Amino acid sequence: MRGKRWILVAAALAIAASPSMADEGDLVLGQTMPYSGAASALSAVGKVQTRYFEMINAKGGINGRKVKLISLDDAYSPPKAVEQTRRLVESDGAVAIFGSMGTAQNAAVQKYLNSRKIPQLFVFAASDRFADPHASPYTLSGMTLFSTEATVYARLVSSTIPAARVAVLYQNDDYGREYLRSFKAELARLDSKAEIVAASPYEVTSPTVDSLVVALASTNANVFLNASTGKFTTQAIRKAGELGWRAQQFLPIGSNFVATILKPAGLEYSKGAISATPTKTVGDPEWVNDPGYLEWLDFMKKYYPEGNIEEQLNFTGWNIAVLMTKVLEACGSDLSPENIMKQATALKEVKLPGLIPGITVNTSRDDYRLIKSLRPQRFDGTRWVTMSDAIAIK
């Protein structure tokens, strides 16, 4: 209804509502999120993005058009993601699917969306398959690719720990296997004496990874690539610390959050860990006077006051929504799939308020990777401290 919110969030526990087609002239975006199920914490991205477009509408919309983001629950289930995505395209008239969450979920709808020439933009999935202009010309990842990140860590290992003995904990899915494969290939290229002495996969349905960490620690490896997610990262950090395993630990971008990952694990056990990131870290003193960070805090205060300003996903989700807005603004009045993709794949030195200064977004028709530079950082027991300038991956 006009005068009410333009944004519809269809969470599993919300009051049932039937989303109507957008009014003529509205710009409709669709996405699926795990509002219910074991991965529901990830739905923070959808929640903050709906508030962001509410702000955009309050300021007049994009090129004079209101934005209607229809965000539906997929319970982190690929079949449900397919069902909801088809609804968004065929019933709700979405001009693009934006920011949907999950590797398996986005993979499940990728062929469908590309066959219908519906842009699948800035998805929260970092597999190389979401940055392949030849196989899927209508798909773009919104994240640093697993291969880019793992390559950075391999370079850090080869340059600081020659002939390293590496133990790896990884998720037994496309994410974990791709991460391990990229790390292993780059490390072998750079240091023939380095060795992966053990690699242990875990299932996302596992209650704990403690026994796996015990086995990895028994190898006496001096590098621990902790390529896990969520509670498993917390468990692995804590168990390694309890065992007194002092290997140099590396943490993925999505698992380096101080408030939600490191604190529960024990800050003393997290001390010395290395990660790399293209984005500013919420709550870090480095950004207390940064204009972009202050812009986000102001947005949160005005449009999402109940949102957690210590939650990195609220910052990341907002930052990607800013990028989506820039693409739509560049489209002007032409919201055809071809023009949307033309603008999304012609980003040159685009600065985003959430990115570390010097790191920009760049895409081309032949290169769909958004981010190609990461800044290494080490956790000092309280905060992440910069180790060096950003490392670029060509």
Side-chain angles (χ1 to χ4, degrees):
M1 183 183 299
R2 303 189 79 91
K4 299 291 185 181
R5 283 186 180 173
W6 292 91
I7 311 301
L8 173 66
V9 179
L13 301 180
I15 298 175
S18 176
S20 61
M21 292 290 288
D23 290 343
E24 185 177 356
D26 287 352
L27 194 164
V28 183
L29 299 176
Q31 69 176 199
T32 65
M33 285 282 156
Y35 288 107
S36 62
S40 59
L42 298 175
S43 67
V45 168
K47 294 173 184 176
V48 75
Q49 287 176 342
T50 59
R51 297 301 181 92
Y52 172 84
F53 284 109
E54 181 179 278
M55 176 195 71
I56 290 295
N57 289 336
K59 295 181 177 181
I62 297 176
N63 297 326
R65 304 175 77 167
K66 299 290 186 178
V67 180
K68 185 173 185 179
L69 174 61
I70 305 177
S71 188
L72 302 180
D73 183 24
D74 64 14
Y76 214 53
S77 162
K80 188 66 173 179
V82 171
E83 174 190 337
Q84 297 288 50
T85 299
R86 290 181 69 97
R87 171 183 171 178
L88 289 165
V89 172
E90 298 171 19
S91 298
D92 298 311
V95 299
I97 299 300
F98 158 67
S100 290
M101 178 64 68
T103 299
Q105 294 71 28
N106 279 291
V109 301
Q110 189 173 9
K111 184 176 180 180
Y112 165 75
L113 292 171
N114 276 266
S115 68
R116 294 183 66 99
K117 298 184 178 181
I118 301 295
Q120 184 184 18
L121 292 181
F122 310 136
V123 297
F124 276 75
S127 170
D128 282 1
R129 68 176 293 155
F130 302 114
D132 187 339
H134 304 294
S136 299
Y138 284 84
T139 299
L140 272 175
S141 172
M143 302 176 67
T144 304
L145 298 183
F146 298 142
S147 59
T148 299
E149 185 180 0
T151 296
V152 167
Y153 297 144
R155 291 187 182 183
L156 288 170
V157 170
S158 68
S159 64
T160 60
I161 311 173
R165 290 171 48 82
V166 185
V168 184
L169 178 69
Y170 69 98
Q171 197 160 288
N172 192 23
D173 57 12
D174 288 344
Y175 153 63
R177 289 188 289 269
E178 187 171 332
Y179 208 99
L180 174 57
R181 184 169 60 251
S182 298
F183 176 85
K184 186 176 182 179
E186 183 69 2
L187 186 61
R189 186 183 72 82
L190 295 172
D191 185 353
S192 61
K193 294 183 179 181
E195 180 184 3
I196 294 180
V197 296
S200 297
Y202 69 88
E203 304 297 332
V204 295
T205 54
S206 300
T208 178
V209 295
D210 283 2
S211 62
L212 297 178
V213 176
V214 171
L216 291 173
S218 70
T219 66
N220 292 317
N222 58 359
V223 172
F224 177 25
L225 179 62
N226 187 357
S228 58
T229 60
K231 70 174 185 179
F232 301 110
T233 308
T234 296
Q235 291 172 0
I237 294 171
R238 185 190 303 121
K239 178 53 66 174
E242 291 172 349
L243 293 170
W245 185 24
R246 302 304 180 190
Q248 176 58 66
Q249 187 167 184
F250 288 84
L251 299 176
I253 294 171
S255 301
N256 65 12
F257 307 154
V258 176
T260 56
I261 301 290
L262 305 189
K263 281 185 179 179
L267 295 180
E268 68 279 14
Y269 295 149
S270 305
K271 187 175 181 179
I274 292 174
S275 190
T277 183
T279 60
K280 300 162 187 173
T281 301
V282 299
D284 194 292
E286 180 179 5
W287 311 113
V288 65
N289 294 314
D290 177 76
Y293 185 65
L294 293 175
E295 179 185 343
W296 173 70
L297 289 176
D298 184 61
F299 155 77
M300 292 291 288
K301 180 179 180 181
K302 292 181 180 178
Y303 291 93
Y304 195 12
E306 70 275 27
N308 184 2
I309 60 173
E310 293 186 348
E311 172 56 76
Q312 188 74 24
L313 288 174
N314 282 333
F315 188 63
T316 302
W318 166 80
N319 198 49
I320 294 299
V322 172
L323 179 60
M324 186 70 211
T325 298
K326 289 180 180 292
V327 169
L328 293 173
E329 287 174 342
C331 288
S333 60
D334 182 359
L335 292 173
S336 66
E338 294 76 16
N339 192 44
I340 292 175
M341 292 309 301
K342 177 182 178 182
Q343 303 306 326
T345 58
L347 301 170
K348 304 297 182 185
E349 300 294 326
V350 175
K351 297 179 180 179
L352 294 178
L355 291 179
I356 291 169
I359 297 179
T360 58
V361 172
N362 294 273
T363 57
S364 71
R365 295 180 66 178
D366 297 318
D367 188 349
Y368 277 18
R369 296 174 299 161
L370 291 190
I371 301 294
K372 305 175 186 67
S373 297
L374 299 176
R375 190 180 75 173
Q377 53 189 8
R378 188 188 301 272
F379 191 67
D380 71 356
T382 303
R383 57 184 291 265
W384 289 102
V385 179
T386 302
M387 293 173 59
S388 69
D389 292 337
I391 296 175
I393 304 298
K394 301 301 182 182

